[in-house]
């Protein structure tokens, strides 16, 4: 239980439609904080369906809601992005954009932990291409506070 002298741990969930759907589930099922005790943990979602990783000022891109996530001052950041970029970015560019996005969060917010979800295999994209992107992202992290995880298979 949180003491009166320390604030709850803050968890920011950042991403595209998966995070938006999770927010809807949380609201519809009265699990606004994912059932964590609010005095210990505060969960907030920051996402938009169709969001991509390119760093442009347009509302379609993940950096358009990054500032709100950073103002939340998260201790833990979970990121699920990249699926919407598969059609218009090369594998190398997608990895570079993801690394830059995560590094900007590290630099600006100093979270204790960042969890980056892998890209999920999709029928419309080659399993080999998705696997190579996930392998490159996994290899990119040599920092203790960045965790790259497979949550789907």
């Amino acid at each position: 239980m949180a003491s009166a002298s320390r604030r709850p741990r803050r968890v920011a969930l950042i991403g595209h439609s998966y995070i938006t759907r999770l927010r809807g589930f949380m609201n519809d099922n009265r699990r606004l904080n994912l059932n964590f005790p609010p005095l210990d943990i505060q969960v907030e979602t920051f996402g938009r369906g169709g969001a991509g990783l390119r760093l442009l000022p347009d509302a379609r891109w993940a950096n358009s809601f990054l500032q709100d996530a950073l103002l939340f001052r998260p201790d833990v950041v979970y990121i699920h992005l990249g699926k919407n970029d598969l059609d218009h970015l090369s594998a190398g560019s997608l990895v570079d954009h993801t690394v830059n996005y995560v590094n900007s969060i590290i630099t600006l917010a100093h979270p204790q932990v960042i969890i980056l979800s892998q890209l999920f295999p999709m029928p419309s994209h080659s399993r080999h291409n998705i696997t190579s992107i996930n392998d490159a992202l996994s290899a990119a992290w040599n920092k203790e506070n960045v965790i790259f995880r497979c949550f789907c298979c």
Side-chain angles (χ1 to χ4, degrees):
M1 183 157 282
S3 72
S5 63
R6 83 171 166 90
R7 70 172 174 82
R9 298 267 183 211
R10 294 180 180 163
V11 179
L13 308 175
I14 299 174
H16 50 59
S17 59
Y18 295 170
I19 300 300
T20 303
R21 288 185 195 121
L22 177 60
R23 179 183 325 132
F25 169 81
M26 291 164 59
N27 290 336
D28 294 347
N29 294 283
R30 298 183 186 187
R31 293 191 170 127
L32 298 179
N33 204 44
L34 290 177
N35 287 348
F36 288 110
L39 294 177
D40 295 328
I41 298 174
Q42 291 178 342
V43 178
E44 290 289 336
T45 60
F46 303 90
R48 184 171 293 110
L53 280 161
R54 290 188 288 176
L55 298 176
L56 299 170
D58 185 311
R60 292 172 295 169
W61 311 113
N63 61 307
S64 69
F65 49 83
L66 179 59
Q67 184 173 357
D68 290 338
L70 298 177
L71 289 173
F72 179 58
R73 295 182 20 236
D75 300 297
V76 177
V77 176
Y78 171 82
I79 302 169
H80 191 88
L81 287 165
K83 176 186 84 70
N84 297 321
D85 299 293
L86 288 169
D87 289 331
H88 60 271
L89 289 178
S90 69
S93 290
L94 179 55
V95 170
D96 289 344
H97 282 289
T98 303
V99 168
N100 290 339
Y101 193 80
V102 171
N103 283 335
S104 67
I105 292 171
I106 291 169
T107 301
L108 297 170
H110 311 290
Q112 294 171 3
V113 176
I114 294 179
I115 302 166
L116 177 65
S117 176
Q118 77 162 28
L119 291 174
F120 295 170
M122 297 168 31
S124 59
H125 293 87
S126 131
R127 185 179 256 310
H128 173 74
N129 189 41
I130 300 274
T131 301
S132 68
I133 291 168
N134 286 332
D135 289 346
L137 287 170
S138 180
W141 307 117
N142 60 3
K143 299 176 171 113
E144 285 182 17
N145 65 332
V146 178
I147 301 167
F148 181 78
R149 284 288 184 257
C150 170
F151 292 107
C152 66
C153 40

